[in-house]
């Protein structure tokens, strides 16, 4: 944590002049879109857990979705499985440095099964809806570092959830040169308490290293942990995957999240990102 705080301070000092926008940047809005020839390179929050600090260009739309994502967890002989179909993040660029995001669980199927594969507690339908706003503080236009704030609120639109929760994400990226990129984030969650009334805190911290193998193909390795202050539970995962850019506005990806601690989820997914 101390190293990340130090990195943030260094990046703030070196990029302090990036807080001011030019008049050209200010004029582009949702209703006055950035011309297509002036758009930045597409930046996505997927496929890793670590979010990108870069926002969608003003007046443009971007979809990032898990075409299929399966989450598995085994505890005390019971296997819990959740399958997401088209778990989509719909993004809309509002200003030069800010976008609005709606994360929609289009269709979710979940169930549990015992040692003889007998299914129970089966549920299916629409998932939760998460509203996020990403505001880039610096580095949106190709600096060596970039940093953003992204508050979010999760609305219980699924059958299984009845609680409103939220939090804020602080993503940072660093261009290491030689086609290597480093990213990290700290995420603070406000979670509904189960053992008592009210809410409690959770924290997620991640680090990711990406490498551009060719102009179209990239890969990454990542690790992150979750800590729940109510349950005193610590989860650690190792992640990996790749992305393939068909065009500058269309990219497919696939990857995995493997739990390294006991009873931590194992996740496998395939998806794509498209910008218009």
């Amino acid at each position: 944590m101390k190293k990340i705080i130090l990195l943030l301070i260094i990046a703030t000092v070196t990029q302090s002049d990036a807080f001011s926008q030019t008049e050209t940047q200010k004029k582009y809005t949702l209703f006055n879109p950035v011309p297509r020839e002036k758009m930045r390179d597409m930046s996505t929050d997927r496929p890793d857990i670590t979010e990108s600090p870069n926002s969608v260009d003003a007046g443009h739309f971007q979809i990032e979705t898990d075409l299929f994502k399966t989450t598995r967890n085994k505890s005390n002989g019971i296997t819990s499985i959740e399958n997401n179909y088209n778990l989509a993040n719909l993004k809309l660029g509002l200003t030069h440095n800010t976008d609005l995001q709606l994360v929609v669980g289009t269709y979710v199927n979940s169930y549990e099964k015992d040692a003889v594969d007998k299914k129970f507690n089966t549920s299916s339908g629409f998932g939760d809806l998460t509203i996020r706003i990403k505001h880039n503080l610096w580095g949106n236009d190709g600096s060596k570092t970039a940093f953003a704030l992204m508050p979010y609120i999760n609305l219980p639109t699924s059958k299984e959830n009845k609680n409103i929760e939220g939090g804020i994400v602080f993503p940072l990226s660093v261009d290491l040169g030689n086609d290597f990129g480093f990213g990290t984030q700290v995420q603070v969650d406000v979670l509904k308490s189960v053992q008592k009334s009210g809410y409690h805190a959770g924290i997620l911290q991640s680090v990711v290293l990406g490498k551009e193998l060719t102009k179209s193909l990239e890969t990454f390795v990542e690790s992150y942990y979750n800590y729940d202050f109510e349950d005193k539970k610590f989860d650690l995962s190792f992640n990996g995957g790749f992305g393939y850019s068909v065009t500058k506005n269309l990219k497919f990806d696939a990857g995995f999240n493997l739990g390294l601690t006991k009873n931590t989820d194992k996740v496998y997914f395939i998806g794509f990102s498209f910008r218009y």
Side-chain angles (χ1 to χ4, degrees):
M1 177 67 78
K2 291 181 179 179
K3 292 182 179 179
I4 290 178
I5 292 174
L6 178 60
L7 188 58
L8 289 175
I9 293 173
I10 294 172
T12 301
V13 173
T14 59
Q15 297 294 325
S16 59
D17 61 333
F19 283 94
S20 60
Q21 295 182 18
T22 67
E23 291 301 317
T24 301
Q25 292 170 340
K26 289 180 180 179
K27 75 178 183 180
Y28 296 123
T29 66
L30 174 61
F31 303 106
N32 182 29
V34 175
R36 298 192 68 82
E37 65 274 11
K38 294 184 178 181
M39 292 174 67
R40 301 182 288 257
D41 290 340
M42 183 171 70
S43 178
T44 64
D45 289 323
R46 59 175 302 110
D48 50 10
I49 294 294
T50 307
E51 311 288 5
S52 165
N54 300 104
S55 63
V56 177
D57 284 290
H60 291 271
F61 171 78
Q62 188 165 307
I63 178 173
E64 304 175 19
T65 183
D66 286 300
L67 289 173
F68 177 71
K69 178 180 180 180
T70 183
T71 303
R72 296 169 176 263
N73 190 300
K74 188 172 183 180
S75 178
N76 299 321
I78 302 298
T79 301
S80 301
I81 298 175
E82 179 180 283
N83 295 322
N84 277 272
Y85 301 87
N86 192 33
L87 177 57
N89 186 2
L90 310 176
K91 300 181 175 183
L92 184 62
L94 302 180
T95 69
H96 182 74
N97 288 328
T98 305
D99 63 36
L100 173 66
Q101 306 181 11
L102 298 180
V103 182
V104 181
T106 306
Y107 183 77
V108 183
N109 170 251
S110 62
Y111 59 91
E112 295 179 322
K113 64 179 182 179
D114 57 21
V116 294
D117 288 339
K118 182 179 179 180
K119 294 183 180 181
F120 56 97
N121 290 339
T122 300
S123 177
S124 61
F126 191 78
D128 287 339
L129 174 66
T130 302
I131 302 173
R132 316 195 309 184
I133 294 180
K134 181 189 294 184
H135 180 67
N136 176 275
L137 293 181
W138 74 75
N140 226 8
D141 298 296
S143 299
K144 287 291 185 180
T145 66
F147 181 69
L149 308 176
M150 187 166 67
Y152 75 91
I153 184 169
N154 187 68
L155 303 178
T157 53
S158 67
K159 298 178 182 178
E160 303 302 313
N161 189 16
K162 300 184 183 301
N163 303 312
I164 297 176
E165 297 177 323
I168 187 167
V169 185
F170 304 92
L172 170 73
S173 67
V174 181
D175 182 355
L176 300 178
N178 297 317
D179 298 324
F180 280 96
F182 171 81
T184 184
Q185 76 176 34
V186 174
Q187 175 177 323
V188 180
D189 303 310
V190 180
L191 307 172
K192 185 68 175 68
S193 296
V194 177
Q195 301 173 7
K196 56 184 179 180
S197 61
Y199 287 79
H200 67 281
I203 189 169
L204 180 151
Q205 185 176 342
S206 66
V207 290
V208 61
L209 181 66
K211 167 67 173 175
E212 188 177 289
L213 303 176
T214 69
K215 288 185 177 181
S216 299
L217 184 64
E218 61 188 23
T219 187
F220 75 91
V221 290
E222 179 184 50
S223 183
Y224 79 95
Y225 74 84
N226 272 312
Y227 183 75
D228 189 302
F229 284 88
E230 180 180 63
D231 296 339
K232 304 291 191 295
K233 184 182 178 183
F234 179 88
D235 293 326
L236 178 65
S237 289
F238 171 77
N239 312 331
F242 67 90
Y244 181 80
S245 297
V246 180
T247 70
K248 65 180 182 180
N249 295 315
L250 175 63
K251 182 172 74 173
F252 288 90
D253 60 65
F256 61 86
N257 307 335
L258 297 181
L260 300 180
T261 49
K262 186 177 180 181
N263 300 332
T264 302
D265 292 342
K266 291 179 172 59
V267 182
Y268 305 91
F269 61 85
I270 183 170
F272 75 92
S273 301
F274 175 73
R275 180 178 66 170
Y276 179 76

